[in-house]
Amino acid sequence: MTNGAAIASHPYRRDEVGRTLKPVDQAESVRTPASWVVVGLDNGGTCNNATVLDATGRYLVDSLVENPSLVTEGPESAIEQLAEAFHNILELTRTPLTLVRAVGLDTPGPASATGVISSKGATNFSMVSWHGFDIRSALEARIGLPVHYLNDANAAALYAHHQLFGAEAMTRSSVAAIVGTGLGGGVVQDGRVVSGAAGMAGELGHVQVPLHGVLEEGQPVPVCNCGFEGDVESIASLTGIKKNLLPYWLTRFPGHPLASEPLPQAAKQLRTYAEKEDPLALAVFEQQAKAIGKLFTIAANFTDPHAYLLGGGVVEAAPKFRQWFLNTVRENTQLRAEQQAAATFALVADLDMAGARGAAVAALEAVQSA
């Protein structure tokens, strides 16, 4: 099958804006391998995304290649869908199975460093059959190849690190905050993710930060779903907006159009208002940026990284707003003069593809260091 025919027949092929990729897009979006390869699989609540990275450092696809993840149907269905995603991406890129050395897999956490889902389950893995399930080993047994595991935020952080530093990635360090429904993150040192003894390093969302200068006088202390008060996720996340920030700020702007909306819908609409410089929305996002700045200040004193990376919905926002948000994070990160001269602040690139690409990078590193 030609590349064009493969794209035309592939049922879940999508580019970054969600339209079906047509054969005319093939030349710039799909390549065939120049050497042995690794595959990256990003497992999400709705879809899996797949990519291929060859030993020369080339990604063979430039767009999303998705299929339904079916995680809500339980482990057996989900593993079959991951296997399908694996074989689909090989067919699409005309990559023989014999060229694949390893697979990188990422999922949302919490999970162990070896890919065992928390005994209490997780947001995407709420069925009892997922509790304590070894998703890495199950996929490895299904496809017959070594599988290397990262959580999704760590994978995105790893890709962002390598994308930013290129050839110098293995001599550089970074800290990444990925703002979404929660707040994920990753710490990368010398080009590799710091996973920790139990695989839970880089859980930046649950770092408690000083709230002086973040909250207004009389504003209730935000509470996280994990039970912590004043951690970063309780402020800098969609959940933090819905649960903590927006209810407070609506009392300060009682006539605001969002006051008539249910909180979940209002929280999702807030970024659109911020892009239009709405005062209430900017107040909420300013508090988020300040909290992330406090987090990065703590990171500066622990790891003193070369780069502070910011990802999540803000990356997908209008350029003026996302630059304002990044600038506000930078202004609220307290660095010494020497650190300011050495450090970079940047947005995570290719966010929709960052998980699968970061998982592929981890697999490539594992093969090369074996």
Side-chain angles (χ1 to χ4, degrees):
M1 181 181 287
T2 65
N3 279 356
I7 295 168
S9 65
H10 187 66
Y12 308 120
R13 179 77 174 138
R14 297 289 185 270
D15 74 356
E16 47 269 14
V17 295
R19 64 185 174 85
T20 302
L21 197 67
K22 298 177 182 178
V24 294
D25 299 314
Q26 170 265 328
E28 65 180 27
S29 294
V30 181
R31 289 169 288 279
T32 53
S35 57
W36 60 268
V37 306
V38 295
V39 172
L41 298 176
D42 172 42
N43 169 256
T46 303
C47 293
N48 299 314
N49 179 39
T51 194
V52 181
L53 176 64
D54 73 17
T56 69
R58 282 193 323 159
Y59 292 99
L60 303 190
V61 291
D62 291 333
S63 303
L64 288 173
V65 181
E66 296 182 311
N67 75 326
S69 65
L70 302 187
V71 293
T72 58
E73 296 184 12
E76 184 175 346
S77 296
I79 293 299
E80 285 304 310
Q81 289 301 103
L82 283 167
E84 178 185 279
F86 171 74
H87 290 293
N88 282 347
I89 197 67
L90 297 186
E91 180 182 8
L92 185 67
T93 57
R94 300 178 65 191
T95 301
L97 180 62
T98 54
L99 291 185
V100 184
R101 298 279 183 90
V103 174
L105 169 68
D106 79 74
T107 76
S112 74
T114 57
V116 179
I117 305 300
S118 168
S119 60
K120 296 182 179 180
T123 300
N124 286 355
F125 306 110
S126 58
M127 292 176 64
V128 173
S129 56
W130 278 115
H131 296 190
F133 183 79
D134 189 342
I135 190 170
R136 185 203 64 81
S137 293
L139 180 61
E140 189 170 84
R142 173 64 178 81
I143 63 177
L145 286 164
V147 175
H148 303 277
Y149 178 82
L150 287 175
N151 74 44
D152 55 356
N154 280 183
L158 183 62
Y159 172 67
H161 178 93
H162 281 261
Q163 185 73 2
L164 178 65
F165 290 116
E168 296 182 328
M170 302 307 289
T171 62
R172 295 290 185 269
S173 59
S174 64
V175 172
I178 313 295
V179 187
T181 303
L183 187 134
V187 178
V188 178
Q189 181 68 43
D190 295 330
R192 292 184 170 85
V193 170
V194 177
S195 58
M200 297 182 181
E203 290 288 348
L204 302 182
H206 303 298
V207 173
Q208 291 167 300
V209 296
L211 298 179
H212 177 73
V214 176
L215 302 183
E216 296 285 295
E217 185 176 350
Q219 185 174 358
V221 173
V223 178
C224 182
N225 285 348
C226 75
F228 283 176
E229 292 187 346
D231 66 10
V232 188
E233 185 172 301
S234 70
I235 302 169
S237 67
L238 180 62
T239 303
I241 290 176
K242 178 177 64 177
K243 183 177 179 180
N244 299 310
L245 303 189
L246 190 54
Y248 168 77
W249 282 103
L250 285 173
T251 67
R252 302 291 297 273
F253 292 84
H256 196 280
L258 290 178
S260 61
E261 297 280 347
L263 273 174
Q265 284 72 32
K268 291 178 180 179
Q269 295 176 40
L270 197 65
R271 193 182 72 195
T272 300
Y273 279 86
E275 290 172 335
K276 298 175 182 177
E277 301 185 356
D278 175 79
L280 179 151
L282 290 180
V284 170
F285 284 107
E286 183 178 27
Q287 289 191 317
Q288 291 200 328
K290 286 180 175 180
I292 295 171
K294 298 281 189 181
L295 171 68
F296 283 166
T297 301
I298 293 171
N301 288 287
F302 267 91
T303 67
D304 189 24
H306 291 91
Y308 301 87
L309 304 171
L310 181 66
V314 67
V315 175
E316 302 164 357
K320 183 178 179 182
F321 169 73
R322 71 187 181 208
Q323 190 60 51
W324 168 82
F325 192 87
L326 182 63
N327 289 345
T328 306
V329 169
R330 182 190 291 115
E331 291 164 4
N332 286 276
T333 303
Q334 298 176 21
L335 302 179
R336 297 175 179 86
E338 297 89 342
Q339 293 174 314
Q340 290 176 348
T344 297
F345 285 74
L347 298 171
V348 175
D350 306 317
L351 190 63
D352 286 343
M353 296 182 288
R357 288 187 167 192
V361 169
L364 184 67
E365 289 178 352
V367 171
Q368 291 175 332
S369 62

